[in-house]
Amino acid sequence: VISGKRKLPIGKWVHIASTFDGRWQKLYINGVQASASWAGNGLPRRSGRELRIGGNRYWGDFFQGCIDDVRIYNRALSKDEIIKDLNIPVFAN
């Protein structure tokens, strides 16, 4: 689990990306690295549960807003790749 130190603005869209490269988990907000946490070596543990985005039934934490343009990759993206995703919609017309 990783979190930033600043609150997100109310009423504005924000691009949030999190990466994990086997050692470090990093959080990016609007293409800028907001925090990093050393997570050890290896792959994330499998829980056997469904993936939840924006909510955690166990802790009772739920995002109070809209979530749009979700992307999941099988590798950690570079900062440049995150900025590219920030500027390209999932479904371009």
Side-chain angles (χ1 to χ4, degrees):
V1 175
I2 191 168
S3 60
K5 299 187 185 324
R6 295 178 290 147
K7 291 186 178 187
L8 297 177
I10 296 173
K12 293 186 177 184
W13 285 101
V14 178
H15 182 270
I16 298 173
S18 179
T19 65
F20 178 67
D21 65 5
R23 294 185 62 192
W24 288 92
Q25 184 175 7
K26 297 178 183 179
L27 178 69
Y28 294 85
I29 299 176
N30 290 330
V32 177
Q33 186 175 324
S35 64
S37 175
W38 187 76
N41 293 318
L43 298 172
R45 291 180 295 160
R46 290 185 174 200
S47 70
R49 297 183 178 161
E50 68 275 1
L51 172 65
R52 292 184 173 268
I53 298 172
N56 184 322
R57 190 176 345 167
Y58 180 80
W59 293 107
D61 294 329
F62 296 95
F63 179 70
Q64 301 296 312
C66 296
I67 297 174
D68 192 12
D69 288 355
V70 174
R71 297 174 180 151
I72 300 173
Y73 294 88
N74 64 354
R75 62 179 179 81
L77 299 182
S78 69
K79 181 178 179 176
D80 289 341
E81 290 172 314
I82 289 170
I83 291 170
K84 183 178 176 182
D85 271 0
L86 165 78
N87 294 311
I88 297 174
V90 171
F91 296 107
N93 292 338

